Amino acid sequence: MSLVDRILKALPIKRKERPETRNVFVGIKPDDGAEEQRFPSNRIVSSKLIIDSPVSPITSGLPLAFVVILTALKQGYEDFLRHKADREVNRSPAYVFRDGNFVRVESHEIVVGDVVKVLSNEGIPCDMVMISSSSNDGECFITTANLDGETNLKKFRALLETKSFTNDETLTNLKMKIECEQPTTNLYKFIGTLNIFDGERKKVSLSSENVLLRGCCLKNTDFVMGCAIYTGQETKMGLNSRKSTIKFSRIEKTMNRFLIFYLCLLLFESALLVGLKHNFFSNDENKNLWYIDNEDSPSFKVIVEELLAFMILLNYTIPISMYVTVELQKFFGSMFFEWDREIYDPKTNEAARAITSDLNEELGQIEYLFTDKTGTLTENNMKFRQCSVNGIKFVDVYGKLCKKEKNIQPDPLRSYDEVIDLLKAVALCHTVRVEKVDKPNGVVNKGFSHEEECIPMSVLNDSADEADHNHNFQASSPDEKALVEACRDYGVIFQGTVDNVMKLKIGKTVKLYKLIHTLEFDPVRKRMSVMIQDERGDATLYVKGADSHIVPRLTGEKETVFSSCSDYAKDGLRTLVIAKKELSKSEFERDHEILTTAHNSVANRDENVALAYDQVERDLTLVGVTAVEDELQEGVPETLTSLRTAGIKVWVLTGDKEETAVNISYFAGHFDKNMQEMRLTNRISEEDCVEFLKQNKKILTDNVHGQYALIIDGHSLAIAQKCCRELLQEVCLLASTVLCCRMSPIQKADVVKLIKESKRHPTTAAIGDGANDVSMIQEAHVGIGLMGKEGRQAVRASDYAFGRFKFLRKAILVHGHYFYVRLAILVQYFFYKLMLETYYWCIPTCIGFLVTFIGYFVLTTIYSVANWPALFTPIFYRSFTRMCENHMWWLSILGLIVTCIVPDIVLRAIQDAKLGFKKSIYRRTSGRSIPYQRQEDYTDNNIPRNVTVVSNTVKGFANPSYDSAMESTHL
């Protein structure tokens, strides 16, 4: 009875009894109630492949099955964690307008054409055309940190024709048709039209300011409604994300190549041994050996059977158990990574996470590191630090404004007379919104004289009550928020804008200003302006922006501006120049007419607005210069220095503006002051890009030891990749470091891919904290996510995650180093052990003395599965220097002895005892070899009693020639 039959018989299964007789019907149907019988097919099967081998197939198959099952369980568990994170996102609640009211559904149930309602502080679940909002003017504010890394507020607005659809009743009567382009990766471009049927058909054009993208977060607005146009992977966020692929480390790829080599070696050896065997029996003297069966004419079937038999005997050449041990070693290594207290963030109470353990050793092989800026290198928290008025510099010291003088202790100002104009200009020139602000009560102060402006500092600070300091400012730029907060701390408090009336509290006096025009910031002008009118009717234009775009429009002294900006830039501070223009009544009417006409124009509106801004923002008077600091995360400069010393090149990829990114690079230590800048920015033609790259390639090639920093913007990168990809690749690799700004998420991934596909194929890593970093994290060999303020999309897509950028030094230079060294030792040990054991024991076995060594194969299988020395030695391996630093060297050495030497000693002792026992089984008596018997079975003359022994093991052992062969084999 076979093993399967025994198992089936032992199971409590009710089997159908076979009837004693069978009924065969010919030409008639079975009787009613007659039980139908089934009979076997008339097919004859007599072929059977029998592999004559002393090793059971189970002995070789179980380790392989164990490897496959263990690997499948590990990969399945890690994939389950990713599926769990995806399910959390897909099941997030959303409100959809169906059957006359809004119903709550899961976000994955949203379909194109649904009207979706998003509440304040919630994420946008899909790309949708904005219909209306809680604001009467149809505006809303969102943050796009997950798309471009910018946490400042951005204004979006609904169309004039749809902003009134704000409730269930009006939405029931809404009938419209949206025509738009197919989804693209461009985050800043949208082309479409909206046809609304309200009595008559109206066709209105749509732009990017009417579309809310998935991944954004709604701020400062109670709710917003929109029509879904792109869902799932067709959203701009989805198109800017790469599909996750299976990542393999370099060691795994090398192991697979060696595995193919050893598999070919196994086939060659088995074929060679089959040939040697038949060559041996081709000799007539060897054909009649009594102890080995001989086939006169070997057939193809016999050759295949013998080939498979030798492959089973030599199957230990293939290191199956090595894969089990490698998986266990990686698993335990990832546990040590998560248990490390030095990469635990107490602020967020987050420990490091090894989301996958397959790439542990790859952390120690990183050559290029690509990092985001906002939220990764910086805290994204601006702080006012210094300012300059009329060439006199002031510095913030613990919340007090002090005059900055060389070699003199800073002394807080007794009055703000010198800086009151600057504080008032900063408090008015912005687009900041204040949450929960009360409307003006209609009481208008008649202004204050110059003497009233010279308010003592104590009066200014003390006049700000607790409610003023609890204002929650929301700005379109973090610089604006930092400046307005600084003004609040100094007693000039912006209390909000209601119905285009700005409320400003200076000391104990409240002033009201009417906002006439806001000239919003754009990357071409690099400045923004506001035109306001005070209570007396006097109009003023306040302007702030980059020094390069403000200074040429100033009247009067300009050298002080350049000096102050240069000094602040050396300290890594972000500067803004503040200017103003007091308008006479005629100038006010003229500029007001110019701006109004430009904004109301239909044809060439953008060009007309840009021309109007240029005409108005002229003949400015300098007010002052401000300097703010984007706080770096703790330990960023030290981490970048350590990585650079280790030979790792760090690239910064950000969606932020060029000036901001360059300033942060200098302040963080990414750029050195001695580096020469090469700017591939604002290029508009392919010829321009090619010429720039050729010139700089020659410079880099001629000055190998020079320090050069390459700065690229997103638009120029797109042109260069299209026309001269290889040339761009060469220049990037020759540069000391690279900064990429104004990058879309997909461009970040393209940059990583550009380096991955270079001739050297270096190992890359990418680190980020937002959804805009997901693409490059998935593209890099190793993806690292930061548990930051921009959600958990980067963490879900990463391979490793922790809370702070400074932990990268420990993760790469310590854990990565140990992971690689430990795994390298493990793999080398395995190949050595398997080769030694296979060829030391299996070659004698292949000669024909198989029975003696059957027990060894079982022992070797157990030893290979366990592999305590190979498993635990790499896990606990640490450098001797590190052990001495921790005063634990003696414990580590003891661990090496216990885990490496003792098991081998025990194993060899068992083997020697086994072989000694088998050798003692033969005793010579009167020149004869006899089987071993118990002492009581022997007579006094050492002649055995009449004891019958039936055993295949000792059959034929009385033959002297075989006895000699066996004895020589033992020796």
Side-chain angles (χ1 to χ4, degrees), residues 636-649:
V636 167
E638 295 81 2
T639 302
L640 293 177
T641 302
S642 299
L643 295 177
R644 190 183 300 112
T645 304
I648 300 174
K649 288 191 175 183

Side-chain angles (χ1 to χ4, degrees), residues 111-140:
V111 297
V112 173
D114 280 342
V115 176
V116 183
K117 183 177 183 179
V118 182
L119 304 180
S120 180
N121 297 321
E122 289 185 353
I124 308 298
C126 61
D127 292 356
M128 60 185 191
V129 173
M130 185 175 172
I131 297 176
S132 62
S133 70
S134 58
S135 175
N136 293 331
D137 53 7
E139 294 181 347
C140 72

Side-chain angles (χ1 to χ4, degrees), residues 625-906:
V625 180
T626 62
V628 297
E629 175 189 0
D630 188 359
E631 292 184 353
L632 289 175
Q633 287 192 18
E634 180 185 359
V636 167
E638 295 81 2
T639 302
L640 293 177
T641 302
S642 299
L643 295 177
R644 190 183 300 112
T645 304
I648 300 174
K649 288 191 175 183
V650 182
W651 291 21
V652 176
L653 313 180
T654 178
D656 214 336
K657 298 182 288 292
E658 179 181 342
E659 291 78 9
T660 304
V662 172
N663 290 337
I664 293 300
S665 290
Y666 277 109
F667 190 49
H670 177 230
F671 283 0
D672 190 82
K673 295 181 180 179
N674 298 324
M675 287 183 178
Q676 298 184 32
E677 295 182 5
M678 296 179 173
R679 294 184 180 249
L680 181 60
T681 58
N682 300 322
R683 308 289 171 167
I684 58 176
S685 65
E686 295 182 359
E687 293 77 11
D688 194 8
C689 289
V690 172
E691 184 65 24
F692 173 86
L693 292 173
K694 286 182 178 180
Q695 292 177 358
N696 287 277
K697 179 184 177 182
K698 187 177 185 304
I699 295 174
L700 293 170
T701 306
D702 296 339
N703 300 275
V704 180
H705 301 290
Q707 297 291 318
Y708 295 92
L710 180 62
I711 304 171
I712 312 174
D713 64 358
H715 181 69
S716 302
L717 176 68
I719 297 175
Q721 279 192 314
K722 182 179 179 181
C723 66
C724 51
R725 179 181 175 87
E726 293 183 359
L727 182 60
L728 174 65
Q729 188 181 78
E730 294 176 4
V731 174
C732 290
L733 292 174
L734 290 172
S736 303
T737 186
V738 178
L739 169 64
C740 299
C741 53
R742 303 304 294 175
M743 303 283 287
S744 66
I746 198 67
Q747 283 184 315
K748 291 184 178 182
D750 290 338
V751 172
V752 177
K753 189 177 181 180
L754 182 72
I755 301 304
K756 281 178 60 179
E757 295 179 350
S758 61
K759 295 180 180 179
R760 292 180 53 249
H761 298 287
T763 303
T764 61
I767 180 171
D769 67 325
N772 60 317
D773 305 317
V774 169
S775 297
M776 72 171 182
I777 287 174
Q778 292 177 337
E779 183 65 39
H781 292 101
V782 181
I784 303 172
L786 286 188
M787 305 171 188
K789 302 176 181 179
E790 300 182 13
R792 292 303 177 96
Q793 289 89 340
V795 174
R796 284 194 289 266
S798 64
D799 304 306
Y800 301 91
F802 36 77
R804 311 292 290 177
F805 183 83
K806 66 178 181 179
F807 297 156
L808 196 64
R809 176 168 54 177
K810 179 71 179 292
I812 293 179
L813 303 183
V814 178
H815 285 286
H817 166 70
Y818 280 137
F819 285 151
Y820 183 80
V821 173
R822 290 165 179 170
L823 199 59
I825 292 175
L826 175 65
V827 174
Q828 293 177 12
Y829 169 84
F830 253 99
F831 281 117
Y832 162 77
K833 180 184 76 70
L834 292 172
M835 292 296 293
L836 180 64
E837 293 186 354
T838 300
Y839 293 103
Y840 182 75
W841 291 105
C842 291
I843 288 178
T845 304
C846 296
I847 296 176
F849 308 106
L850 308 176
V851 179
T852 308
F853 300 94
I854 292 177
Y856 171 76
F857 286 105
V858 178
L859 183 63
T860 305
T861 300
I862 298 174
Y863 179 68
S864 297
V865 172
N867 273 307
W868 304 116
L871 175 61
F872 286 102
T873 301
I875 288 178
F876 295 105
Y877 167 82
R878 304 180 78 180
S879 63
F880 187 75
T881 305
R882 187 72 174 177
M883 291 188 289
C884 293
E885 289 177 356
N886 296 337
H887 305 287
M888 297 295 289
W889 57 269
W890 58 271
L891 182 60
S892 299
I893 294 176
L894 179 61
L896 292 175
I897 294 174
V898 171
T899 60
C900 194
I901 299 178
V902 173
D904 279 341
I905 294 175
V906 174

Side-chain angles (χ1 to χ4, degrees), residues 162-207:
T162 62
K163 68 178 184 179
S164 60
F165 295 91
T166 58
N167 51 51
D168 297 352
E169 291 76 13
T170 54
L171 285 175
T172 304
N173 300 323
L174 177 62
K175 296 179 181 180
M176 66 179 185
K177 175 185 176 182
I178 298 176
E179 298 177 2
C180 60
E181 61 183 350
Q182 292 296 335
T184 62
T185 58
N186 194 331
L187 299 174
Y188 309 104
K189 180 181 178 182
F190 179 80
I191 299 175
T193 58
L194 185 145
N195 298 275
I196 185 168
F197 303 92
D198 185 13
E200 60 180 7
R201 178 177 178 178
K202 297 180 181 179
K203 188 174 183 179
V204 188
S205 61
L206 296 170
S207 63

Side-chain angles (χ1 to χ4, degrees), residues 499-524:
D499 297 333
N500 289 330
V501 176
M502 305 179 72
K503 187 177 181 182
L504 194 66
K505 183 178 181 181
I506 305 177
K508 295 183 179 180
T509 306
V510 177
K511 302 287 289 182
L512 301 179
Y513 298 88
K514 184 178 181 181
L515 181 61
I516 308 299
H517 289 286
T518 299
L519 286 62
E520 297 182 354
F521 177 88
D522 65 71
V524 178

